[in-house]
Amino acid sequence: MRFLAALLLLTSTVSGSSDPAAVVEGWRTSPVYVDSSQRALVPDEEAAKLAERVKDHSPAIRIAVLPAEALNDGRRDKQDSAQAFLDSVVDKQSADGIYVIVFGGLITWGSAVGVDTPIASILTDELGKHSRSDPVGTLNGVLDQLGAPKAPSGPPGWLWPSVIVLVVLIAGGFALRWWRSRPGKDEGPALYRPSYDVLPDEADTVEERRRLAREDVTRFGEELDAADVRLDAHGDGTATTADVQAAMDAYAAAGRVVDGKPDDEQLRGVRATVGYGRWRLACAQARIAGKIAPPWRALCFFDPGHGISVTDWMYKPPGGRSREVPVCAACRNRLSGGAR
């Protein structure tokens, strides 16, 4: 009997590829397999600690961390794709146990095969405690609930004074570097994007975030006006009408929120609503042009005005931490050096 749990997040992940055979092959040497493109999320040392925790656990626990593009199997529903991928892995592994797969920042999926373990409720609980950028915390929380022993950590007691001094010196150096490199209060746009989880290096004021959200909604309204989509044009009239109406509804809903004083949670909802509206508008335009409606993707992280993203990229802001962000074609070319 299998118990499944998943969490869809608001972003996707870096480009990469993994297949069930690669995962099973990786488990031959370690119960924790991390795709090379995902080591910014789960570094080698953290993978080793996780592997130490599950090494002799009964029932067996197997963990994989893969790029979200492993789910690109043509299915519209990513949950169906995640289930199909895990089923394939289990079939190739041919062993009972507990399986947990992290698909970048998109989905975390678990299955208990042949064992009576409530992995669904455990995953749901831990996914509610940790952000999408902290799969290590999520996985350790799952292992805690499964009764896996803690990984040994820390130096011997006699080394602690030296360690403390070293940590203080390093922290002081980073603090000085940050102070010297930080932008002035009014220099450049805030890194925050309303639909993105705020990281420590993206701190700014709620009023600045409200301003960004209002600008985003205003720009979306201008895009709707400029599109001037004709519902009597060629294409699937019923589907096109539904797309246009959905885009207009999204604009109206987002506008009602930004007219007030939304908090951060509401601002993230605004960004998601505007992104959905832009996608439905793009679907309408594609249908009228006789083309296939584009699949749903998040908007470009660097500028939502660039439109729907085409891939995902590992990005590290100055003085910040690496994270996976959706990017449009132009930003992808810029980041890869293909265009300047």
Side-chain angles (χ1 to χ4, degrees), residues 161-179:
S162 299
V163 171
I164 292 173
V165 172
L166 180 60
V167 169
V168 170
L169 290 175
I170 293 174
F174 276 111
L176 180 61
R177 178 182 176 186
W178 171 82
W179 182 262

Side-chain angles (χ1 to χ4, degrees), residues 189-262:
L191 289 175
Y192 178 87
R193 296 298 182 267
S195 70
Y196 240 67
D197 286 348
V198 181
L199 299 176
D201 54 79
E202 295 176 317
D204 50 12
T205 69
V206 67
E207 186 52 46
E208 288 174 326
R209 296 194 282 275
R210 289 169 181 162
R211 176 181 56 79
L212 284 171
R214 286 192 292 268
E215 291 176 358
D216 200 12
V217 174
T218 299
R219 181 182 298 179
F220 178 40
E222 294 170 349
E223 291 168 7
L224 282 170
D225 290 340
D228 190 24
V229 178
R230 292 182 55 197
L231 303 185
D232 59 346
H234 297 291
D236 185 342
T238 302
T240 303
T241 301
D243 285 329
V244 174
Q245 187 61 54
M248 296 176 67
D249 290 345
Y251 171 66
R256 285 193 294 270
V257 176
V258 298
D259 283 343
K261 291 187 176 181

Side-chain angles (χ1 to χ4, degrees), residues 15 19 35 57 108 126 135-136 160 166 175 180 182 191 223 227 238 246 259 262 292 301 308 315 331 334:
S15 299
D19 58 72
D35 185 88
H57 192 273
T108 298
E126 292 302 324
V136 173
W160 273 113
L166 180 60
R180 290 178 174 176
R182 68 188 182 94
L191 289 175
E223 291 168 7
T238 302
D259 283 343
I292 298 175
F301 169 72
I308 295 174
Y315 169 67
C331 288
R334 176 175 58 83

